[in-house]
């Protein structure tokens, strides 16, 4: 009987995140502004966030590779709040001493509320912590409304504790939107709070 009572005290299921601040901002401010500016006939045409992909390379297993991969997975889990998947080399490259199928990095794809929380943290906390930050380049769009940026180190994220830091790890972050053109995506991301430069 005592055992059953003890089991009741343990919370079941995953921890629920609070409602994203940016999601509400999009619905009340950003979407109406974009609809008016671009004269959309349907709400489905208004650009919105689709997913955010974070990719981190760890190098090959030649020099302490297993430990590097383990620490990269730990760092990315802390940064994204989601378990990453391990990426493997698609083909062998002799100059890099790389064999096909070797673990070379990890990546995570964020959708839904987690995506909005990460975007908010990136725009308001992480990017301003970069030394001599002057805004993001407006030339990093891919022609289809998606934006890619690179970070040189993981320490700009407040979740990474200094006592576990072993080496600098850069990462690529791709923000995928439903915008049809780069101009629409640029206006949308700036309205959402991403600090893009004019030139």
């Amino acid at each position: 009987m005592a055992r059953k009572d003890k089991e009741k005290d343990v919370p079941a299921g995953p921890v629920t995140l609070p409602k994203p601040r940016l999601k509400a901002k999009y619905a009340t401010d950003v979407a109406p502004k974009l609809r008016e500016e671009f004269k959309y006939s349907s709400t489905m045409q208004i650009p919105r966030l689709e997913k955010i992909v974070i990719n981190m390379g760890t190098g090959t297993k030649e020099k302490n590779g297993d430990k590097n991969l383990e620490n990269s997975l730990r760092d990315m889990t802390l940064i994204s709040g989601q378990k990453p998947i391990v990426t493997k080399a698609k083909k062998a490259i002799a100059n890099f001493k790389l064999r096909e199928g070797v673990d070379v990095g990890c990546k995570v794809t964020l959708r839904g509320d987690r995506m909005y929380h990460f975007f908010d943290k990136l725009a308001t906390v992480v990017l301003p912590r970069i030394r001599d930050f002057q805004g993001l380049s407006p030339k990093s769009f891919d022609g289809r409304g998606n934006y890619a940026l690179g970070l040189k180190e993981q320490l700009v994220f407040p979740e990474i504790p200094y006592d576990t830091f072993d080496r600098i790890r850069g990462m690529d972050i791709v923000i995928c939107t439903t915008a049809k053109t780069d101009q629409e995506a640029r206006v949308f991301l700036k309205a959402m709070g991403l600090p893009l430069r004019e030139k």
Side-chain angles (χ1 to χ4, degrees):
M1 192 73 182
R3 190 179 170 186
K4 281 184 181 177
D5 292 337
K6 200 174 182 181
E7 284 174 2
K8 281 179 186 176
D9 296 337
V10 180
V15 177
T16 53
L17 291 167
K19 287 275 184 261
R21 175 177 78 90
L22 269 185
K23 208 171 188 178
K25 182 186 175 183
Y26 173 78
T28 55
D29 300 340
V30 179
K33 180 187 168 190
L34 291 171
R35 186 165 190 172
E36 189 180 321
E37 186 170 339
F38 292 102
K39 305 290 188 285
Y40 295 122
S41 58
S42 167
T43 52
M44 295 306 289
Q45 291 175 292
I46 303 170
R48 61 185 181 278
L49 287 177
E50 190 176 21
K51 63 182 177 180
I52 294 176
V53 181
I54 313 164
N55 182 42
M56 187 187 280
T58 58
T60 57
K61 291 188 177 182
E62 295 297 316
K63 294 179 182 177
N64 206 15
D66 284 333
K67 191 71 177 169
N68 284 339
L69 181 62
E70 188 184 308
N71 291 343
S72 296
L73 289 167
R74 179 201 64 207
D75 285 354
M76 192 173 277
T77 305
L78 288 171
I79 288 166
S80 64
Q82 190 171 304
K83 190 179 177 183
I85 60 167
V86 176
T87 52
K88 298 179 182 295
K90 290 183 179 176
K91 59 182 180 181
I93 303 170
N95 289 346
F96 298 131
K97 296 179 181 175
L98 189 64
R99 293 191 303 276
E100 189 179 345
V102 172
D103 298 339
V104 290
C106 55
K107 74 168 185 177
V108 69
T109 303
L110 301 173
R111 288 186 169 88
D113 285 1
R114 269 210 182 94
M115 169 186 70
Y116 280 99
H117 281 298
F118 180 82
F119 186 94
D120 196 1
K121 177 175 66 176
L122 182 71
T124 57
V125 179
V126 175
L127 293 175
R129 287 178 65 160
I130 297 172
R131 190 179 296 164
D132 301 326
F133 181 66
Q134 301 292 322
L136 295 170
S137 169
K139 297 176 182 175
S140 296
F141 288 93
D142 66 349
R144 293 187 295 275
N146 304 316
Y147 187 81
L149 66 116
L151 295 176
K152 290 180 180 176
E153 60 179 27
Q154 77 277 34
L155 283 174
V156 288
F157 286 91
E159 295 91 346
I160 304 296
Y162 280 92
D163 56 344
T164 63
F165 176 75
D166 58 334
R167 58 175 280 192
I168 289 174
R169 293 187 182 85
M171 68 192 77
D172 300 314
I173 300 169
V174 182
I175 301 166
C176 300
T177 74
T178 59
K180 300 291 184 217
T181 66
D182 288 350
Q183 176 59 22
E184 290 173 75
R186 188 179 292 112
V187 173
F188 163 61
L189 290 176
K190 281 192 85 169
M192 289 290 279
L194 198 69
L196 290 166
R197 294 196 307 265
E198 290 302 319
K199 292 181 181 179

